[in-house]
Amino acid sequence: MPKTQLQEHIVLRNREIANIADIAVYTQHGGYETARKALTTMSAQAIVDEVKKSGLRGRGGAGFPTGVKWGFVPREIFPKYLIVNADESEPGTFNNHEIIDHNPHQLIEGIIISAFAIGANTAYIYIRGEFAYGARLLEQKIAEARAKGFVGKNVFESGFDIEIYVHRGAGAYICGEETALLESLEGKIGQPRLKPPFPAVAGLYAKPTVVNNVETLTNVPRIIEKGADWYRTFGTERSPGTKAVSISGHVKNPGNYEIPLGITMREFIYDWAGGMRDPNVPLKFIIPGGASSSWLTPEHLDTPLTWDDMAAAGTMLGSGAVVVLDESVSVVKAALRVDEFFKHESCGKCAPCREGTHFLVKVWERIDEGHGRPDDIELLSDVGRQMLGKCFCPLGDSAVSAVNSAVKFFRDEIAAQIK
Amino acid sequence: MLYEKYRDEIDAILARYPSKRSALLPVLYIAQDAYGRLDDASIREVAEILDLPYTDVFEVVGFYTLFYNEDVGKFVLDVCDDVPCCFCGAEELVADLEQRLKVKAGYTTDDKMFTLRRVKCIAACDQAPVLQANLEFHYKVTPDKVPALLEDLRRKVESGAQISISGRFAEH
Amino acid sequence: MPDEVTLTIDGQSVTVPKGTVVVEAARKIENLIPVFCYHPKMAPVGMCRMCLVKVGTPKVDRGTGKVELDTDGKPVIQMMPRLQTACTTPVSEGMVVVTKDAEVEHAQKGVLEALLTSHPLDCPVCDKGGECPLQNLTMGWGPGQSRFDYSDKVHFQKPIPLGDLIYLDRERCILCARCVRFQDEIAGDPVLGFDNRGRSWMIISKSDPAFDSKFSGNTTDICPVGALTSADFRFKARVWELQPVPTVCNHCPVGCNMTFDMRANEIMRVMPRENDAVNEIWICDRGRFAHHFVASPERLTTPLVRKNGKLQEASWEEALDLVARQLDGIRESAGGKAVGGLAGPSLANEDLFAFQRFFRETLGSPNIDCRPGTALDLPLDDFGAEYGLTSGTDLMQLGKGTVVLVFGADPEEEAPVHLLRIRNIAKRGGTLITINGRATKLDRFAEHTLHYRYGAETEVLAAMLKPLYDAVPPEGKRAALRGFGDLRGVLANASAERAVANAGVDGPTLEKINQALASATNLVIFYGQEALRAGTSVTAGLANILTLARKAGAPNSGLVALVPGANARGALDMGVRPDRGPGYSALKQPGMAAHEMFDAARQGRMKALYIAGLDPVQADPTLAEALKKVDLVVVQELFLTATAQLADVVFPVLSVAEREGTFTNAERRVQRFRQARRPVAPQRPDWQILQSLARQLSAEAVIAASANVSDKSRRQARRAEEQARKRTDWSYASPAEILMDIAASVPLYKHISYASLESALGVWGRKPNEAYYFDGTSYENTGGLGKQVPAGAENGGTLSLQPFNVRTFSQPAERPWKLIATPFLYDDSTLLNGSALLNNRKARPVAALNPADADSLGLKDGDVISIASGRGELRLSVQRTRLAPQGVVLVPLHVQGVPLVTVVEAGVTAVAIRRAEG
Ligand SMILES: Cc1cc2nc3c(=O)[nH]c(=O)nc-3n(C[C@H](O)[C@H](O)[C@H](O)COP(=O)(O)O)c2cc1C
Ligand code: SF4
Ligand code: FES
């Protein structure tokens, strides 16, 4: 049953309510009432339980159940921190961007409730440096909320203090990785930390820390307001809820769509995003979950957009970013661009990623320029094998997705280009 | 001097963190705006304000792409050439800008007005081709819109409006 | 055992302590997993990915929580889906590790290939060649050939000096961050870092001066490639040509174990030798780079004898004969007491023992001292031996439960490697307390820090002693402490409030320090030159803290006195001092201290002065006048020092590199150094010169015996003379024989012999001297670990509390500033002769003032001021620095152009400061 619209938005409520970024509008529509209710009538544990029950999974890429993550935080160590991951830098992803610019108060309310749930009195929103406007806007919005007594000391007279600060990154994709983010927030270069310890135990300033994505937290007010059962009416059993998915590339109507999880890729591309930009140029492949994800081809169009189904198809839902590319695109060029990205963003800490991404780019480049060598496909695959699962953090692995996808689906095309 | 001049702002930043070092990125942004780039002297000054070893601050400046330790123009123009933008007009936009500004990407115009850079995804893929001018977004910048955009930016400089290469006053 | 874990590595079972990482467990069974970033002395980071292995753990049934067993009853092993870094993976019970199979090898080849893609492969001209982990691991694990044939290896300007001492070859760097981590984690000087990121990531140093650390040389050892090389060794030799000879550093009281790496009789470089109980595997840059005095062309080569007013070359026979005859004459005419002897703290125990024998037995003179006799002389320290670290104390083993108190000391300048070791105790959970008159680098690592007002040290100590004193239970215990009653009155008024008021210290911190002292399991107290200079009440106060905390003679506790000189403790142990004999034995009659000898000389009462390894005139030029009044001045030296220039006879001596001997370090570990170099001139070791003279001169006892003829029968007289002759015989064939004599006559040294110093047990939990090539350079210790002598307090007798008084320092209104003499590692001492590389790091002749004080006096950097005390005046240019506390002027010790001796007074010197005119 193709849906063309969601009856009710959960995170992109700005699509329904004009000017919801305005605190007056937001409060008119019940804004901050859920936070009040949560902080004054619910226990922290009850909130954690409700979120657990909702089955909300992290929207930052890995899809880890949010309530479970909150449960890892040791109660007796203070202070604790909540970090909002607004580093959104995965190529193809721009849904956090929209939430920040157009529905900021719901994010802030989500932060207040979530901080209360884990017992954090300080939250930092780590926002990518390029969102200079978003950072300013959030600061203004936090100030508005503070003026109303929603942020600061003894909010809602609940006895709970919550400070929210915006911290701007300065241009480094790796800072989206949660431990690199913490390093960056501590004023250091953004390189991932060795785990364990995990941030939940020893994160920011070695204190218990929860890192959650913007969209994840923006879900929270509605889950608490309307309950886990209501939330579960969207999506599927194991991928409940909705997801703001960014679609770009060669579709008619690129943009963000909040979809109920479980619709198929075909529905999403053709019913929601209007189909291919030029109906005469057919779809060639899809990068379905950000540049890190393995590609899909038209034969996968019936894969439902859920964590499990995407994994079964050999890829991932990732950050919810679908890049649709048509037959005009050269596979080699696309793979080259993807790997250039990872080379550019490799932090340098570990050898296989630092050197491997460079190696991959070099080989793609020579194929693209017409100097490919007969063994290059094997070479790419083998270097990929030497990187995959062997790097310090997932960034290095991500660079291999394009290699493996291109070789798997378009070996002939690459081979043809080599000759 | 930096501290004296921006005391309130810097103190407010310091107040947000239990560790002085956390204030490094925001203070570097201030220094970068104040000095037009982060040269050695300004990096050392920031280190002294925050009581940090010099090397640590140089390290941070070197790591992040939004800190400029070389001369940049009044406006840094960042064009996204990542997938998917590169297949949706970014290459044409870069070519157009290179021709108009008479500089290759990665360089600054002779009049020190613009620095043109290719950058990776800036989270506005549906609006391709897209660029940021001092970190303000400009969407769907097809080559026909470029002359007006550049004119606009030049006028902004001439009008004496507040310019921040760090994007501290970014509007949209 | 709960604290041990058994696992299987490539089918071989091994049991190791919990928390061990897989690399170390494998190493134990000689399964060498290749590593680059991992270093056993630093926290694992898992960056380089060289150590990837397969790891599996027993599968646990979720329901029962029990390990699942297969049909054979063996645990089902669940292999992890990805390879794991062996350097970061802690072992667990039943773990199975596979280090050699196709998948692991593929990964290892990949990492090596990756590293080599940006490496210049310029091994033929690389100083690391031959001891290079990258070379070795490539041989063992690398791919046969590279598939990366691009010519875009990373290229950088070749060698970039990182400061004066270290060169960086960026192309060779494999970005393992060992050097950066060493500087952060171990040295505590975060002066190295990285610029850029990704493949452009590169090492930088932006400190001022670049690579501003006293430990920089260590990074060249742990660098697993030739990226960091020392300016001293660059292009000097291929490492396989070098012959390492074990030695002990002769620059400071730590006594780091080192080797002189020799080629064709020249020292090509100095390397650390592993000894966890002393220096782990580190040495400071002075130890490493200040060896050039050995090969300096300025070295004295032949004896010199003054003829016609000028020092002229002479034969050994002539010079020795001359000295012997003259000393004999003086002894005859004026008595042995008209001769004075000074022997410095850089001489070996064997020399010092011989020296005091020569004076006390041969010349019959009690006048000996190990100090130069200037106003800067420190009091002789007994407490460092009486209450010294109990034997068997290994700082490396201390951590949780240990309180380290550092009082009036700046270990970074006085004993650099102690800084690392103290910091490590703190890292392992020990409590570090620093109490000083000014900020030192060690404060950064301390849990509690107090800064007292100079002159009020005893106020602080009284406030620390008081609660310990009060806590001694009355029953019997008090009686067991000699001097307990005497302290009562002294401490009657002591309180934290008083210390806060009079010493300006922070009350709550003092409180916390007292709590820490009261609950310490182990207590180690370091004190340095500022504490010593502040008077014996200060060191006595520290000794009393130890005693009252019931840690005197207790395991893992004691005092460590940082007295300057590599063998300062040895000099005191050997009795080179006017008031005590060897082993601190009581003397019937004390002799003159160094400064008294010079006083006597001025008054014409001193007929001869014999000076070995000290340069009093350099420290105080006015002593030249006194020397001129002495009939015979004999100097044993390496160089023609200011003092030697005034001598009548100068004997050239062998340096530490050209002879054998032992030093006793501040922890009272006796350690042996070996001959590394054939002498290039006919110099002799100090002890031998003394022996030659002693043989020419009859011992005083022999003379006395023969003089008593009238009283006794001739036969009796002859027998007495015979016995005296035997007793005072000099027939040492080697320093080893002197050490045997020391062991026989100095009870503390009872168990010390050259053989006992040679044992080399394994450290880092590994076999002795396993030269694991991937640690960096080999730190093989073939020279032995040395042996600690027991502290006096270990004898178990009644403990004494030492006389302690609270002194309040009052300052005349016209001299409101305090002058403090501050020690620097890089000063103008003789042993830095010829090591030009270190010149830029030397302490400058400046007076350091707090900027606030400088402002109040209207002084800018470089302005010249006059500093006047009750004794004299000194002119220096000003350096404004926050390191100087307010009200204090810091003036460097032993720096040319800083005649400190003209102004200093005992304790704190009150001075007036004014801008110098003109
Ligand atoms: C290389 C890399 C980049 C990442 N970038 C982002 C990002 O930009 N935003 C984000 O929310 N999570 C990002 N993540 C995931 C985070 O590490 C983390 O899992 C996430 O913030 C957790 O939030 P969630 O549980 O709400 O999803 C990234 C992970 C990696 C490995
Ligand atoms: S895989 Fe390695 S080099 Fe790449 S980003 Fe992660 S840690 Fe850095
Ligand atoms: S990652 Fe284990 S040695 Fe480098």
Side-chain angles (χ1 to χ4, degrees):
Chain A
M1 201 224 321
K3 287 189 200 156
T4 48
Q5 250 200 328
L6 195 69
Q7 289 315 303
E8 187 177 10
H9 284 82
I10 298 179
V11 291
L12 296 182
R13 282 218 294 160
N14 52 302
R15 295 289 175 102
E16 286 161 28
I17 303 164
N19 298 326
I20 195 173
D22 191 329
I23 194 162
V25 176
Y26 186 64
T27 46
Q28 259 165 36
H29 288 83
Y32 290 106
E33 281 312 309
T34 310
R36 180 189 307 279
K37 176 184 98 177
L39 270 58
T40 54
T41 68
M42 292 176 77
S43 71
Q45 190 57 49
I47 298 173
V48 175
D49 290 344
E50 197 63 25
V51 171
K52 254 186 208 162
K53 203 168 133 205
S54 76
L56 173 66
R57 295 172 68 163
R59 299 315 198 221
F64 193 83
T66 304
V68 176
K69 181 170 2 190
W70 292 0
F72 292 148
V73 177
R75 288 272 146 203
E76 63 292 349
I77 305 177
F78 302 96
K80 299 185 231 296
Y81 295 100
L82 173 65
I83 309 299
V84 185
N85 192 338
D87 194 56
E88 188 168 64
S89 309
E90 177 78 27
T93 319
F94 46 86
N95 45 43
N96 290 358
H97 194 173
E98 178 169 342
I99 295 172
I100 292 164
D101 282 6
H102 300 288
N103 192 11
H105 281 296
Q106 192 176 331
L107 169 62
I108 294 168
E109 186 172 5
I111 295 170
I112 296 167
I113 300 170
S114 308
F116 176 75
I118 62 163
N121 298 107
T122 310
Y124 294 101
I125 304 176
Y126 185 96
I127 186 166
R128 66 180 296 187
E130 292 83 351
F131 289 172
Y133 167 72
R136 284 185 76 202
L137 184 80
L138 281 173
E139 278 182 346
Q140 287 164 17
K141 298 296 155 188
I142 294 165
E144 286 174 13
R146 172 189 293 279
K148 295 218 180 284
F150 305 155
V151 170
K153 295 245 172 288
N154 190 19
V155 291
F156 308 107
E157 315 216 320
S158 63
F160 180 69
D161 303 339
I162 174 69
E163 294 297 343
I164 307 175
Y165 302 112
V166 179
H167 184 98
R168 248 179 96 197
Y173 164 70
I174 188 64
C175 291
E177 194 283 329
E178 55 186 6
T179 60
L181 182 157
L182 297 175
E183 288 286 291
S184 181
L185 186 45
E186 290 181 9
K188 302 175 192 157
I189 62 175
Q191 288 189 327
R193 294 178 181 170
L194 197 64
K195 291 190 254 191
F198 290 91
V201 179
L204 187 64
Y205 312 121
K207 297 295 179 195
T209 302
V210 166
V211 182
N212 273 134
N213 172 265
V214 164
E215 186 189 346
T216 310
L217 295 176
T218 307
N219 273 290
V220 171
R222 311 247 54 203
I223 293 173
I224 299 303
E225 179 191 350
K226 300 201 166 193
D229 294 337
W230 167 82
Y231 187 75
R232 280 184 167 281
T233 62
F234 300 87
T236 67
E237 172 60 27
R238 301 207 44 213
S239 295
T242 62
K243 168 99 191 78
V245 182
S246 312
I247 184 163
S248 59
H250 299 148
V251 290
K252 196 160 269 156
N253 305 313
N256 286 316
Y257 296 89
E258 185 169 337
I259 59 160
L261 285 165
I263 66 167
T264 65
M265 186 63 93
R266 187 186 304 280
E267 286 172 311
F268 182 50
I269 295 174
Y270 290 93
D271 299 344
W272 291 64
M276 296 306 288
R277 181 178 64 178
D278 181 346
N280 298 320
V281 190
L283 190 156
K284 188 169 185 180
F285 61 98
I286 305 160
I287 309 179
S292 302
S293 61
S294 294
W295 304 350
L296 296 178
T297 54
E299 65 194 274
H300 301 106
L301 277 171
D302 292 314
T303 312
L305 290 168
T306 67
W307 274 281
D308 300 336
D309 292 299
M310 294 296 271
T315 182
M316 60 183 185
L317 192 57
S319 53
V322 177
V323 180
V324 178
L325 297 169
D326 67 20
E327 286 287 357
S328 69
V329 170
S330 144
V331 159
V332 171
K333 252 203 176 65
L336 172 59
R337 274 300 142 96
V338 170
D339 282 341
E340 272 177 356
F341 171 79
F342 290 112
K343 176 187 166 180
H344 185 261
E345 299 301 338
S346 170
C347 76
K349 184 165 183 164
C350 73
C353 169
R354 181 179 70 230
E355 304 294 340
T357 50
H358 176 73
F359 204 122
L360 296 179
V361 166
K362 275 285 161 186
V363 178
W364 283 128
E365 232 166 41
R366 76 177 169 209
I367 300 175
D368 188 44
E369 287 162 4
H371 309 301
R373 301 178 193 172
D375 294 342
D376 275 355
I377 295 181
E378 273 328 300
L379 182 54
L380 285 167
S381 307
D382 193 60
V383 172
R385 267 198 301 282
Q386 280 171 330
M387 295 171 68
L388 197 61
K390 313 208 165 49
C391 295
F392 188 91
C393 84
L395 188 149
D397 290 1
S398 300
V400 185
S401 300
V403 172
N404 286 347
S405 303
V407 171
K408 182 164 157 202
F409 298 122
F410 302 102
R411 181 183 269 272
D412 292 347
E413 181 181 333
I414 306 169
Q417 210 163 329
I418 287 172
K419 272 188 211 118
Chain B
M1 296 97 67
L2 192 69
Y3 181 67
E4 282 67 35
K5 199 159 161 212
Y6 295 92
R7 181 186 298 260
D8 292 345
E9 197 173 345
I10 293 174
D11 285 348
I13 292 168
L14 285 169
R16 294 183 208 154
Y17 311 100
S19 139
K20 246 182 172 175
R21 184 164 180 161
S22 280
L24 182 52
L25 268 55
V27 174
L28 281 170
Y29 275 135
I30 295 176
Q32 174 159 284
D33 277 350
Y35 298 115
R37 60 171 276 199
L38 290 168
D39 58 3
D40 281 16
S42 43
I43 295 172
R44 288 179 197 275
E45 190 179 359
V46 170
E48 269 158 29
I49 293 173
L50 298 178
D51 270 334
L52 290 173
Y54 294 141
T55 310
D56 287 2
V57 180
F58 278 88
E59 197 173 55
V60 163
V61 171
F63 186 85
Y64 297 96
T65 57
L66 296 184
F67 293 133
Y68 314 133
N69 47 15
E70 278 163 12
D71 281 337
V72 290
K74 292 264 182 309
F75 278 97
V76 180
L77 304 180
D78 290 343
V79 183
C80 170
D81 74 348
D82 213 334
V83 182
C85 280
C86 71
F87 298 117
C88 297
E91 290 303 323
E92 293 75 4
L93 174 58
V94 172
D96 186 77
L97 280 163
E98 285 184 337
Q99 200 205 351
R100 254 180 241 281
L101 298 173
K102 302 192 181 57
V103 287
K104 285 266 163 221
Y107 293 88
T108 301
T109 54
D110 287 341
D111 61 0
K112 304 268 180 276
M113 187 64 76
F114 299 109
T115 297
L116 178 64
R117 308 197 304 174
R118 283 171 178 265
V119 298
K120 298 299 164 197
C121 183
I122 46 180
C125 321
D126 55 336
Q127 310 284 339
V130 47
L131 72 72
Q132 287 196 307
N134 283 356
L135 303 177
E136 282 185 4
F137 279 102
H138 296 269
Y139 298 126
K140 299 208 165 110
V141 192
T142 39
D144 55 306
K145 295 190 187 152
V146 169
L149 170 66
L150 295 179
E151 200 39 50
D152 223 41
L153 296 175
R154 280 208 179 88
R155 224 175 296 122
K156 217 169 171 180
V157 173
E158 281 155 19
S159 74
Q162 200 170 26
I163 306 274
S164 158
I165 52 172
S166 302
R168 276 159 64 238
F169 319 110
E171 285 296 346
H172 38 257
Chain C
M1 262 221 253
D3 290 341
E4 298 218 307
V5 165
T6 301
L7 67 157
T8 312
I9 304 176
D10 292 343
Q12 198 177 345
S13 163
V14 57
T15 302
V16 292
K18 230 182 188 161
T20 306
V21 291
V22 169
V23 168
E24 291 290 346
R27 180 174 203 163
K28 203 177 159 197
I29 48 171
E30 284 176 61
N31 183 337
L32 304 186
I33 300 172
V35 299
F36 282 116
C37 66
Y38 177 72
H39 192 283
K41 291 285 177 190
M42 293 187 276
V45 286
M47 293 168 65
C48 74
R49 321 303 287 174
M50 189 62 216
C51 64
L52 290 166
V53 292
K54 268 188 191 156
V55 177
T57 47
K59 194 170 172 198
V60 176
D61 185 292
R62 288 233 180 145
T64 63
K66 290 225 177 78
V67 173
E68 283 181 31
L69 300 179
D70 64 14
T71 43
D72 298 339
K74 293 218 191 82
V76 178
I77 299 296
Q78 203 166 22
M79 295 309 282
M80 296 185 191
R82 300 165 150 232
L83 300 181
Q84 301 291 312
T85 42
C87 70
T88 62
T89 307
V91 295
S92 63
E93 190 60 40
M95 181 182 266
V96 170
V97 178
V98 178
T99 76
K100 293 173 190 75
D101 78 349
E103 195 186 346
V104 172
E105 274 161 30
H106 184 250
Q108 290 167 336
K109 280 202 172 72
V111 172
L112 265 168
E113 184 179 13
L115 291 174
L116 294 172
T117 58
S118 45
H119 192 84
L121 301 176
D122 55 348
C123 308
V125 292
C126 177
D127 292 302
K128 200 78 172 187
E131 55 182 9
C132 172
L134 181 61
Q135 275 185 344
N136 294 334
L137 296 195
T138 303
M139 290 280 292
W141 285 270
Q145 77 188 83
S146 176
R147 298 169 295 184
F148 190 87
D149 56 351
Y150 291 100
S151 54
D152 75 333
K153 284 180 179 293
V154 203
H155 279 302
F156 290 109
Q157 175 203 334
K158 260 178 169 322
I160 300 157
L162 286 185
D164 298 332
L165 306 178
I166 308 294
Y167 277 90
L168 166 65
D169 188 317
R170 289 207 166 107
E171 300 177 353
R172 293 180 188 155
C173 173
I174 57 159
L175 302 168
C176 67
R178 277 186 182 182
C179 56
V180 177
R181 285 146 56 213
F182 169 82
Q183 287 302 133
D184 292 358
E185 275 177 46
I186 295 178
D189 297 314
V191 295
L192 294 186
F194 290 100
D195 199 1
N196 284 310
R197 69 187 192 199
R199 203 166 180 250
S200 310
W201 216 34
M202 61 182 188
I203 302 283
I204 48 165
S205 180
K206 294 287 186 175
S207 60
D208 186 16
F211 212 157
D212 187 14
S213 173
K214 297 194 170 63
F215 305 99
S216 65
N218 294 299
T219 60
T220 64
D221 298 342
I222 57 175
C223 177
V225 296
L228 293 174
T229 52
S230 84
D232 200 37
F233 181 60
R234 253 181 102 69
F235 299 137
K236 281 235 303 239
R238 305 304 305 187
V239 297
W240 53 83
E241 306 168 329
L242 301 176
Q243 190 61 43
V245 181
T247 190
V248 173
C249 182
N250 66 332
H251 289 277
C252 95
V254 177
C256 289
N257 290 206
M258 318 192 298
T259 59
F260 286 136
D261 285 7
M262 307 300 295
R263 187 187 66 184
N265 211 37
E266 288 310 314
I267 301 175
M268 303 314 285
R269 64 174 182 180
V270 174
M271 295 295 277
R273 192 158 54 97
E274 177 182 350
N275 187 343
D276 266 0
V278 179
N279 54 306
E280 304 191 20
I281 55 169
W282 317 119
I283 55 176
C284 80
D285 288 348
R286 178 164 165 169
R288 188 184 299 263
F289 298 121
H291 61 85
H292 294 278
F293 69 92
V294 171
S296 163
E298 315 267 289
R299 280 273 300 276
L300 291 169
T301 51
T302 59
L304 303 173
V305 168
R306 189 168 298 278
K307 291 177 192 155
N308 306 323
K310 272 171 82 180
L311 282 173
Q312 300 192 1
E313 295 194 353
S315 70
W316 275 100
E317 290 70 32
E318 181 188 354
L320 285 167
D321 200 51
L322 181 76
V323 172
R325 268 191 292 108
Q326 296 216 18
L327 284 175
D328 198 28
I330 291 169
R331 186 171 59 174
E332 192 101 326
S333 59
K337 292 200 178 88
V339 186
L342 306 177
S346 301
L347 265 53
N349 284 320
E350 292 77 359
D351 305 320
L352 293 161
F353 185 75
F355 192 85
Q356 63 86 30
R357 263 198 78 189
F358 180 65
F359 268 76
R360 294 198 170 111
E361 284 178 16
T362 310
L363 298 177
S365 167
N367 304 324
I368 62 172
D369 204 338
C370 55
R371 298 168 296 180
T374 75
L376 289 165
D377 282 4
L378 294 168
L380 297 167
D381 177 80
D382 296 340
F383 302 140
E386 176 64 20
Y387 304 96
L389 283 183
T390 38
S391 38
T393 303
D394 179 354
L395 299 187
M396 177 77 181
Q397 303 298 328
L398 302 186
K400 227 178 168 52
T402 298
V403 172
V404 181
L405 166 63
V406 179
F407 196 104
D410 186 355
E412 187 193 14
E413 304 289 351
E414 298 179 60
V417 167
H418 271 142
L419 177 116
L420 310 185
R421 309 190 61 224
I422 294 169
R423 184 183 185 201
N424 266 339
I425 297 175
K427 267 204 194 155
R428 288 188 294 263
T431 306
L432 172 60
I433 300 167
T434 56
I435 306 184
N436 262 318
R438 59 191 167 94
T440 67
K441 182 172 138 186
L442 199 59
D443 292 352
R444 278 190 239 157
F445 317 124
E447 196 163 321
H448 311 295
T449 293
L450 287 184
H451 291 156
Y452 51 71
R453 266 179 225 136
Y454 281 107
E457 293 85 353
T458 47
E459 293 276 9
V460 183
L461 288 168
M464 293 164 73
L465 283 165
K466 176 84 167 168
L468 290 170
Y469 185 89
D470 292 343
V472 178
E475 330 75 52
K477 290 264 171 19
R478 296 188 172 192
L481 285 173
R482 209 178 293 140
F484 191 83
D486 302 343
L487 262 189
R488 179 168 299 125
V490 180
L491 295 179
N493 297 323
S495 70
E497 293 71 38
R498 218 183 110 133
V500 171
N502 292 351
V505 294
D506 180 61
T509 307
L510 180 58
E511 206 63 45
K512 283 190 205 122
I513 289 173
N514 283 340
Q515 281 161 16
L517 289 174
S519 58
T521 311
N522 308 315
L523 176 59
V524 178
I525 303 179
F526 283 83
Y527 56 93
Q529 293 184 45
E530 284 183 16
L532 285 160
R533 211 173 290 285
T536 42
S537 253
V538 173
T539 45
L542 293 168
N544 290 344
I545 287 178
L546 189 79
T547 304
L548 289 173
R550 280 181 280 158
K551 296 294 170 238
N556 299 320
S557 299
L559 303 184
V560 182
L562 303 179
V563 187
N567 200 26
R569 181 49 59 196
L572 296 167
D573 286 354
M574 294 304 115
V576 179
R577 49 191 291 171
D579 55 343
R580 285 180 190 276
Y584 306 92
S585 55
L587 292 177
K588 278 201 210 89
Q589 212 190 352
M592 288 185 229
H595 68 97
E596 291 167 326
M597 296 182 213
F598 283 108
D599 289 345
R602 268 187 215 97
Q603 295 157 9
R605 288 187 283 118
M606 193 53 76
K607 298 294 173 216
L609 270 176
Y610 198 115
I611 304 172
L614 278 173
D615 189 3
V617 178
Q618 139 90 17
D620 182 357
T622 66
L623 295 179
E625 282 313 305
L627 280 189
K628 282 182 191 146
K629 298 219 170 129
V630 177
D631 296 346
L632 174 68
V633 177
V634 183
V635 169
Q636 291 184 181
E637 253 306 345
L638 291 164
F639 293 96
L640 193 63
T641 58
T643 308
Q645 284 170 32
L646 298 172
D648 298 296
V649 179
V650 181
F651 292 124
V653 298
L654 292 178
S655 74
V656 66
E658 293 138 348
R659 46 163 295 182
E660 298 257 323
T662 60
F663 291 143
T664 306
N665 75 0
E667 294 166 48
R668 291 171 18 277
R669 178 173 293 269
V670 184
Q671 307 191 96
R672 190 174 162 194
F673 58 89
R674 318 288 179 114
Q675 179 180 357
R677 188 174 189 254
R678 265 176 290 107
V680 292
Q683 303 113 328
R684 294 187 183 175
D686 291 85
W687 63 269
Q688 226 176 54
I689 302 168
L690 296 161
Q691 170 156 296
S692 303
L693 290 172
R695 280 185 173 165
Q696 293 196 33
L697 285 159
S698 286
E700 233 244 342
V702 178
I703 300 166
S706 61
N708 284 343
V709 176
S710 53
D711 304 355
K712 294 171 193 155
S713 79
R714 288 180 72 96
R715 258 193 45 221
Q716 266 181 320
R718 226 182 354 227
R719 199 177 314 128
E721 192 184 323
E722 200 55 36
Q723 272 170 358
R725 215 176 275 288
K726 209 180 268 163
R727 212 173 54 238
T728 59
D729 183 35
W730 289 74
S731 57
Y732 302 128
S734 71
E737 293 186 11
I738 307 183
L739 193 66
M740 283 163 66
D741 206 2
I742 296 174
S745 48
V746 183
L748 286 176
Y749 281 66
K750 192 158 59 184
H751 300 295
I752 305 292
S753 66
Y754 272 24
S756 75
L757 306 181
E758 267 173 39
S759 84
L761 296 170
V763 266
W764 304 353
R766 49 190 247 196
K767 295 191 184 120
N769 295 320
E770 268 176 311
Y772 284 123
Y773 40 81
F774 41 63
D775 291 346
T777 326
S778 161
Y779 304 98
E780 211 177 356
N781 186 341
T782 55
L785 301 176
K787 197 171 162 119
Q788 214 173 14
V789 296
E794 278 177 74
N795 291 337
T798 311
L799 288 171
S800 303
L801 288 166
Q802 300 297 331
F804 170 78
N805 279 302
V806 179
R807 247 193 8 178
T808 27
F809 176 72
S810 54
Q811 217 159 349
E814 70 278 14
R815 295 205 304 274
W817 302 88
K818 292 172 183 160
L819 176 146
I820 296 297
T822 43
F824 283 92
L825 183 65
Y826 303 124
D827 56 13
D828 284 318
S829 74
T830 315
L831 291 179
L832 283 167
N833 277 358
S835 299
L837 265 181
L838 296 169
N839 284 351
N840 287 338
R841 308 264 159 150
K842 281 193 179 178
R844 292 188 300 127
V846 289
L849 278 177
N850 188 282
D853 288 344
D855 284 343
S856 78
L857 293 164
L859 295 168
K860 299 187 306 296
D861 265 336
D863 285 354
V864 177
I865 52 170
S866 140
I867 304 169
S869 73
R871 292 182 53 226
E873 192 215 356
L874 160 76
R875 281 171 188 236
L876 280 177
S877 50
V878 169
Q879 183 196 25
R880 299 161 56 109
T881 165
R882 276 183 291 173
L883 292 176
Q886 289 198 24
V888 172
V889 54
L890 301 177
V891 179
L893 273 160
H894 311 309
V895 168
Q896 259 162 36
V898 185
L900 251 177
V901 285
T902 55
V903 288
V904 289
E905 294 163 6
V908 179
T909 308
V911 291
I913 296 179
R914 57 176 177 78
R915 180 188 291 278
E917 310 303 336

